[in-house]
Amino acid sequence: MVMSEFEQKYIEIGDQLVTSDAVVKGSMFGAKCLKIGKKAFAMYHRGSMVFKLPTDNGAAALEGAGMFEPAPGKKMNGWIQVPPQHADKWEALSSDALNYVRSLNE
């Protein structure tokens, strides 16, 4: 199976966080995700990255980004879907999401 450049980017981000921050890879809604402890903070879903972020993060203001909706009409509060045109921001947003979810668990 051929991987898109965006899925490859997700994997590279995950591999880096697994070695540097005790992050584990898992799945959520049938999508690949990254977790700290048992809590997901980022996932790759249908070509986009989805991040658990505080509402004031600003990621939702990116063009094409918005609240994650895993199924029509089922929006997930606190989860922002960021499309691949912003893949250059995925690494920073992954770190922001990791730090945010880690702070919720303290």
Side-chain angles (χ1 to χ4, degrees):
M1 180 162 110
V2 176
M3 222 180 292
S4 74
E5 67 178 291
F6 303 112
E7 187 171 5
Q8 184 61 43
K9 179 145 184 88
Y10 160 80
I11 289 171
E12 289 168 10
I13 291 167
D15 288 349
Q16 176 61 40
L17 292 174
V18 163
T19 58
S20 65
D21 283 285
V23 166
V24 295
K25 295 179 180 183
S27 65
M28 186 166 121
F29 301 113
K32 298 173 182 175
C33 76
L34 302 173
K35 298 178 178 184
I36 186 77
K38 295 187 188 300
K39 302 284 186 185
F41 64 89
M43 79 175 114
Y44 183 79
H45 186 265
R46 298 185 182 157
S48 293
M49 284 282 292
V50 183
F51 305 97
K52 175 81 172 163
L53 293 165
T55 53
D56 63 355
N57 176 272
L62 295 170
E63 185 181 335
M67 191 179 293
F68 177 54
E69 206 171 327
K74 302 237 185 257
K75 293 187 176 193
M76 285 185 61
N77 205 12
W79 287 87
I80 305 297
Q81 185 163 344
V82 180
Q85 73 242 39
H86 302 294
D88 61 323
K89 295 179 175 49
W90 287 357
E91 190 169 354
L93 290 169
S94 294
S95 292
D96 291 349
L98 169 62
N99 291 330
Y100 175 61
V101 170
R102 185 184 277 140
S103 76
L104 297 176
N105 292 332
E106 291 175 348

